[in-house]
Amino acid sequence: IGDTVRDTSKTTIQALHDRGISVAMLTGDADGVARSVAEELGIDTVFAEVLPEEKDEKIQLLQDSGGLVAMVGDGVNDAPALARSDVGIAIGSGTDVAVESADIVLVDDDPSSLLKLLRLSDMSRSKMIQNLFWAAGYNIAAIPLAAGVLAPVGFVLSPAVGAAVMSLSTIIVAVNAQQMRYASV
């Protein structure tokens, strides 16, 4: 006896492992069935025959072992665990309670959507760092110039030019962030 495994599940779990992410399964299914599926997919940790109220405790156990925990779930019984996890991810077709308890809602139930979410997260972080460095670098250079630091050597930045350059800086940051719209995830 076993559960049907989606085609994308194994490749998704392998991609998570490639990122250094451990994968655990919390399920109410019988231990034999759960371990069979876990072995087929390469899941690291299995918690089987878990009652709905115990899922929250298992998330706490994983957190206490020192890691950040993201939980993917779709049912009413997943809601407390989704809320406790560091990042709760609900499947969009799941119950309203699961969706309300989660931090993120995936629009479909394809496991590979999790990888798209991680790539989008990586891109967002990268853009934030780029924009932070651009804005900080601009301000570190422009504010002293606008304050007249180079006035003794004959260089004075007029307020109008300073305002125009500040507006240009804002546009550059916005355009850089908008590039994410055209990136494939």
Side-chain angles (χ1 to χ4, degrees), residues 28-96:
D29 290 348
D31 189 62
V33 173
R35 294 203 183 280
S36 172
V37 170
E39 186 176 322
E40 180 180 348
L41 295 176
I43 293 174
D44 305 301
T45 305
V46 178
F47 297 104
E49 300 176 12
V50 178
L51 297 173
E53 60 271 11
E54 294 173 335
K55 286 187 177 184
D56 180 54
E57 296 169 11
K58 298 300 183 188
I59 294 295
Q60 184 66 56
L61 179 71
L62 291 169
Q63 289 172 326
D64 291 345
S65 70
L68 294 175
V69 177
M71 162 79 179
V72 180
D74 65 353
V76 172
N77 61 343
D78 294 325
L82 287 167
R84 171 160 321 266
S85 64
D86 296 297
V87 179
I89 305 168
I91 305 298
S93 61
T95 64
D96 290 342

Side-chain angles (χ1 to χ4, degrees), residues 132-155:
L132 180 65
F133 277 111
W134 170 258
Y138 164 79
N139 284 315
I140 288 169
I143 290 174
L145 289 175
V149 168
L150 296 179
V153 294
F155 182 79

Side-chain angles (χ1 to χ4, degrees), residues 98-120:
V99 168
E100 290 296 322
S101 299
D103 301 303
I104 299 168
V105 179
L106 299 176
V107 295
D108 61 28
D109 58 356
D110 181 356
S112 66
S113 294
L114 188 56
L115 299 176
K116 293 176 184 176
L117 172 66
L118 291 172
R119 286 192 295 271
L120 181 61

